[in-house]
Every structure is written in C-alpha cells, then in structure tokens.
Amino acid sequence: MTELRPLIEVRHVDKHFASTGTRALKDVSLSIHAGEVICIVGPSGCGKSTLLRTLNVLEPVSAGEVWIEGVSVHARGARLDRLRTKVGMVFQQFNLFPHLDVLENLMLAPLKVLRQPVASVRARALALLDQVGLADKARSRPGQLSGGQQQRVAIARALCMQPDVMLFDEPTSALDPEMVGEVLDVMRDLALKGMTMCIVTHEMAFARAVATRAVFMEAGSIVWQDAPERFFSNPENARLRAFLGRPG
Amino acid sequence: MRAETSTLRGGWIGHLAAVIVVLAVGLSLYYASRQIDYEWRWERIPHYLVETGGTEITAPFDGTAKLAPDGHSLSLTPLLGGGEPVTVAGFDRIEVSDGDIVFAGNTLGREHGWSAGPLAIGLWMTLKISLVSLVFALILGLVVGLGRVSHRVVARDLAALYVEVIRGTPLLVQIFIFYFFIGTVLSLSAFAAGVAALSVFTGAYIAEIVRGGIEAVPRGQTEAARSLGMSAFQAMRHVVLPQALRSTSPALAGQFINLIKDSSLVSIMALTDLTKAGREVVSSTFSPFEVWFCVALLYLALTGTLSFAVRRLERRMGRHD
C-alpha cells in the first residue's frame, strides 16, 4: 500500500529557539500525501512558517520525527541534501541568486546537484519559464524584474529540480497588491496539474479555492484541520471562527 | 549625482584654492631647502632609472681576445684546454685590445641601447614580490576567511588565532622573524622569505574582508541554495562566495595597494626592491632628496595606476548588475 505512505510526515515535533527562549512548535503532527494541496493559515507568529521549514529540514526540530519519502531525516547517514532535491521551496523574499541571470538561476541546481546534461536542463528551464509566462526574461537579472516576476522565477527555479512536493512560505506577502494575482495564477495552475503542495498563506480566498485540506495553527500548535468548504464557511472550531471573523 | 554636487560648496574656486595651497607648501619647502647647504642635482636621477650607457658584453670564459677587422666582433681562444676559438659578436664599442687576456665575466665591450637602471630594476622587484605575495595572500585569506565562518570550532579557533596574532604584531617584526628564524630553519631565499612574510601578513587582512563579505550575503541565499539540494560546500561555492567576492572587490583592491606599499619593508632583507634600490642610489650619488622624491613618485605611479584600473573595472562590472 505504498500510495498511503505520505510524501512528508512530521510526528510530535517540537521546536525551541534557544536564542529567544521561545517554543515555536508544540507537539505538531502533519502528513502530506501525494496530490494534496494543503493550506496552512493562522495569525502571525503562530509557527506556520517554522513548521513549513521543518518539512525540508531547513529548520532542524528539537524533538519529534520528520520523514521525507519514507526516510527518516534523523537516521545516521541520512542524505539530507539528496532528500531536499525532492522538496521544492518558495520563499517570501524570493531569494533569487542576484549574481546569475534568470536562466542560470533555474539551471544551477539541476546541473550542480543532479548533474544532469546541460541540453536537457536548458530545455526544461525554458519550458518552465514559458509556463510561468516569463520566456522573454531568460537573460534578465533578478534585479531587473518586478517582485511578481521574481517570485514566478523562484517557483520555476524550484520546479526545475522536478520535486515531488512544493512548499510555499507566504509567497505573496512581500508583493505589491497588483502583483499578487499573477503569482497566485501560477500556483493555481500548478495545483490543477496535480502538484503536491503545502502553502502557508494569508490569501483566504485562494486557499479556499485550491486547497484539498486547510490547516489552522495557533501558538505553535495545529488547532484544527478540515476540508476547505467546511473550514472556511462553517468552521466547527471556536478559535478558528474567531480568526476568520477578524476583519482583513 | 545631482544631489551629490549640490552638497559640495566652492566649485572651481575651491579647486583653485587647493592648487594655491599645494603651490604655497611646495614653495615654502623649496625656500626652506635653499637655507641649508644642499645642491639639487635632478639631472642625475634619470640615469638611475634608464641606463643609456648600453649593455655590457662580458667574456664567457677565460681566454685570449683577437679582434676582427670589422670592429663589431672578436674571437676568444680559451686559455686552458686548447679548445677552438669562439666568436663573440654584437659590439658597438670594443673595450679590449688585440691579444688581451681576459677572464670570465670581464667586460669585453658594449652594445648601444637602453637598459633598466637600478631604480627601474627595483621597481620591477617591488611589482614582482607584490604580485606573487598577492596570489598567496588571496589563497590564504580565502581559506582563513572560510575558517572564520565555519561551523567547525577547530577551524574557527585556528583562523581567529591567526588573524589576531598577525594583526597584533608589526609587519617589520614579522619580516625579521620570517627572514632570520623561519628563513634559516627552512633555508628560504630572501625572496621566498619576503613573499612568505607579506602573504601571511596580507592574508590576515584579506581573511577579515572575506569574512565580512560572506556575512553580508543574506541568509536567504544560503537557505534557497540548501532548499535546492546543494550541500553546504556547493552553496558556498556557487551562491555565497561569488556574491561575497564581488561586493568586497574594492576592499580587496585596496588591500593590494597596501601590499605594494608594505613591500617596501622587505628592503631590510638582502632584497633589492624599489626602496633598497633608492638607498643604494643615495649612497652612490649623495642626493637623498631627489632620490627619495623619485622613489615616492614611482610608488605613487604604481598604486595610482592600480586604483585607476580597479575603478574602471568596477564601473564595468556595475553596469552588468
């Protein structure tokens, strides 16, 4: 029954930040199965970004367990770098490589990490740029692009590694309002194509439209999760109701 | 640019005032020097930069000279062993007579033309020792700089110790230690000891520049690289370091200019760099004022050319961003 095995699973995860003395995650468990689109919502500082960052071990956990594609990341000799190639990530601040042009940004990791041949990587990168509507920007530098364009390049860069899961950490929060739409369109497109996604977002309408499961976090814990329809229109949890009822 | 000029006050009158101040200082120095018993002999200086007396041609072995009728070549018969006479040619002026016995290394005559004078040879040595030291200092600085930001405590400790020791002791003392102690123990030549001292000294400063450059690259860059599956080494090599080196290139160029100036201290070893050449020329001309002004100008020409080239390079690189 391999199809039931989650692509990523975290079990009873705790995260302490020693420097600030805060507990960002308290006994959090979550599994992501192939084909799911999970949207994580919650107030600022509730630990949703931290949770997302533990899913590809960018943030090591203080306690609990993380499995990526059935491999425990805590096992001796676990090849974290290898496991991360299966998990794409898109950041709030884009984090494109400013010293490389757009095409080089996409091609760097497939060439250096997967050691794939240049010709096939290049063809895939150009196809992905076309998919996100930036085929004409292949030779531009990130600094010459708008925020929305940069974020679309960042999505294409993560996709160029041909990951099984894509993680999005508030991908539209750093964007001017008029650019939010173009990035959400690319993500909606991706969800329709069947990509497994885990999205931390404040865009409730978008979450409701694309999610297969919605997760509500508060104070480092998962408080409630449900199908998006019930989650947003008829929340059965009082704290979620309060969160959704807040204006904005 | 516009905002910048509007904050400057004075315009061309300011430039004029600066020129007047410089002239005034120069003139008062001139009159002060007139008060002492010193004869300025600037005309001697060019001779020590470029030798116009021609190149000497010396005897390759001990032998008897026999002049050829054309006056531009001679044949040399070996004194011992009775070998065949060898023809030495290319003379513009022969300085031996027919039948003279000469020994290996004796001057046979001269070829016209220009050759480098002692100051030019010293300048070349300064440039050479600076360039060679720069290469080693860059390698050392890069390794130590990476050590400073390493997650391994042993690398951090060693790098910090190195930087503290080198930056906390005078270069002159380091050169003495390299020349007299390390040079003797490892039987290094003066040049090798000089290069070692300058590289180790400059390497410590470059390490700090490299560390600063790496720390200035946003954390998100490393995170993005790691999230794409790169190892820590790959993220450093392909993402962080290229950005760090680009942003620190002005500081690195400044360090190279410092290196050229610091190299004057190796003249205390048996190494004829520009400063040592200056001292030698002073002792043979007794014109210290002219010689030291000339040496200073030569250093200035070297560092000025370099900083000009770096600024050009920066502007070109800046255009690509």
Side-chain angles (χ1 to χ4, degrees):
Chain A
M1 300 295 276
T2 49
E3 66 192 47
L4 288 180
R5 196 183 68 188
L7 285 177
I8 303 182
E9 184 173 18
V10 293
R11 259 190 238 156
H12 307 298
V13 160
D14 277 4
K15 176 69 189 180
H16 306 265
F17 287 107
S19 52
T20 55
T22 49
R23 265 186 91 188
L25 295 177
K26 297 169 196 160
D27 193 23
V28 172
S29 298
L30 181 73
S31 32
I32 303 170
H33 291 84
E36 277 194 296
V37 177
I38 298 176
C39 286
I40 305 177
V41 300
S44 302
C46 69
K48 50 194 193 304
S49 285
T50 307
L51 173 61
L52 197 74
R53 291 157 61 85
T54 63
L55 296 180
N56 67 349
V57 208
L58 222 45
E59 208 75 75
V61 298
S62 311
E65 287 164 290
V66 180
W67 277 270
I68 297 175
E69 309 221 325
V71 181
S72 166
V73 302
H74 314 284
R76 279 178 77 89
R79 297 280 317 273
L80 273 186
D81 302 340
R82 281 285 134 190
L83 292 174
R84 285 202 191 101
T85 62
K86 296 289 174 196
V87 185
M89 185 151 191
V90 175
F91 299 84
Q92 186 177 344
Q93 297 295 340
F94 330 133
N95 295 342
L96 293 180
F97 305 138
H99 60 301
L100 303 176
D101 69 24
V102 165
L103 189 61
E104 289 166 338
N105 262 279
L106 265 65
M107 292 174 66
L108 181 65
L111 291 181
K112 301 296 177 190
V113 177
L114 303 178
R115 303 195 177 283
Q116 291 172 338
V118 177
S120 66
V121 173
R122 188 188 183 80
R124 191 165 74 232
L126 290 172
L128 281 166
L129 284 180
D130 194 41
Q131 184 184 325
V132 301
L134 292 171
D136 56 330
K137 300 291 185 190
R139 285 298 169 198
S140 302
R141 295 260 167 174
Q144 300 166 325
L145 303 181
S146 71
Q149 290 172 327
Q150 289 194 50
Q151 193 59 297
R152 285 187 278 155
V153 171
I155 294 172
R157 177 177 69 177
L159 289 173
C160 206
M161 288 294 284
Q162 299 175 303
D164 298 330
V165 194
M166 286 281 285
L167 309 179
F168 294 84
D169 187 5
E170 304 196 23
T172 56
S173 297
L175 295 177
D176 291 338
E178 71 269 23
M179 292 167 183
V180 169
E182 62 191 67
V183 172
L184 292 183
D185 285 346
V186 166
M187 291 169 63
R188 186 176 291 118
D189 198 38
L190 206 55
L192 289 176
K193 285 194 166 100
M195 173 59 78
T196 310
M197 297 158 76
C198 185
I199 306 165
V200 170
T201 186
H202 293 290
E203 303 286 336
M204 297 302 163
F206 170 77
R208 181 175 187 160
V210 303
T212 58
R213 178 154 55 114
V215 174
F216 173 57
M217 279 186 79
E218 199 178 56
S221 305
I222 292 181
V223 174
W224 194 251
Q225 45 183 318
D226 207 341
E229 193 57 32
R230 262 203 315 264
F231 185 95
F232 287 105
S233 28
N234 187 20
E236 292 168 20
N237 180 282
R239 281 146 80 186
L240 175 57
R241 253 195 317 271
F243 173 71
L244 291 174
R246 234 179 287 162
Chain B
M1 277 302 170
R2 192 104 193 102
E4 213 169 279
T5 45
S6 68
T7 61
L8 291 175
R9 276 179 293 177
W12 65 272
I13 296 178
H15 290 304
L16 193 68
V19 170
I20 289 172
V21 168
V22 169
L23 282 180
V25 170
L27 273 178
S28 44
L29 276 178
Y30 175 73
Y31 281 113
S33 73
R34 292 288 293 266
Q35 301 303 309
I36 56 170
D37 185 20
Y38 188 81
E39 199 182 332
W40 293 85
R41 282 184 294 216
W42 282 105
E43 71 281 359
R44 285 183 173 186
I45 300 304
H47 173 66
Y48 288 97
L49 265 176
V50 181
E51 195 97 59
T52 47
T55 344
E56 290 184 350
I57 297 176
T58 55
F61 48 83
D62 303 351
T64 313
K66 185 179 181 335
L67 301 193
D70 63 0
H72 294 294
S73 61
L74 56 78
S75 68
L76 201 61
T77 315
L79 272 185
L80 303 168
E84 287 296 303
V86 174
T87 305
V88 185
F91 295 96
D92 287 306
R93 182 158 49 94
I94 292 182
E95 292 178 348
V96 289
S97 312
D98 208 20
D100 277 1
I101 291 175
V102 295
F103 299 101
N106 286 12
T107 304
L108 295 173
R110 287 177 181 280
E111 185 186 7
H112 284 338
W114 291 16
S115 62
L119 288 181
I121 292 173
L123 183 68
W124 169 238
M125 172 57 93
T126 287
L127 192 59
K128 192 166 74 171
I129 199 167
S130 302
L131 278 174
V132 175
S133 303
L134 178 73
V135 171
F136 286 110
L138 278 176
I139 296 170
L140 193 62
L142 194 61
V143 171
V144 176
L146 287 172
R148 291 278 274 167
V149 298
S150 166
H151 291 295
R152 295 190 188 282
V153 175
V154 58
R156 267 174 186 267
D157 284 358
L158 289 176
L161 182 68
Y162 162 74
V163 170
E164 283 307 313
V165 167
I166 296 302
R167 296 209 307 179
T169 51
L171 175 57
L172 190 55
V173 173
Q174 290 170 25
I175 287 175
F176 280 133
I177 291 175
F178 267 92
Y179 186 48
F180 291 116
F181 176 64
I182 299 175
T184 310
V185 170
L186 301 177
S187 59
L188 295 178
S189 68
F191 184 79
V195 165
L198 286 175
S199 316
V200 166
F201 177 76
T202 306
Y205 288 86
I206 290 183
E208 285 300 275
I209 293 173
V210 168
R211 178 176 73 111
I214 289 173
E215 285 175 349
V217 175
R219 244 181 81 84
Q221 291 290 310
T222 312
E223 290 184 349
R226 297 305 299 273
S227 81
L228 288 164
M230 287 188 217
S231 64
F233 175 81
Q234 285 173 319
M236 182 58 76
R237 156 90 179 68
H238 297 295
V239 175
V240 177
L241 215 44
Q243 296 180 51
L245 292 184
R246 178 168 294 205
S247 68
T248 55
S249 62
L252 289 174
Q255 201 56 51
F256 182 40
I257 287 170
N258 280 344
L259 173 59
I260 290 177
K261 294 184 292 178
D262 292 338
S263 75
S264 67
L265 287 175
V266 300
S267 64
I268 57 153
M269 306 189 295
L271 205 62
T272 312
D273 75 327
L274 182 51
T275 304
K276 180 84 180 302
R279 261 195 340 239
E280 285 171 3
V281 172
V282 166
S283 64
S284 62
T285 58
F286 302 109
S287 302
F289 294 0
E290 297 91 324
V291 170
W292 289 122
F293 278 126
C294 175
V295 165
L297 277 177
L298 287 173
Y299 275 112
L300 199 59
L302 212 55
T303 54
T305 313
L306 197 71
S307 60
F308 176 74
V310 168
R311 240 173 297 144
R312 286 285 302 267
L313 204 70
E314 263 170 42
R315 212 171 311 155
R316 190 178 301 179
M317 265 168 44
R319 227 180 292 148
H320 284 301
D321 282 332

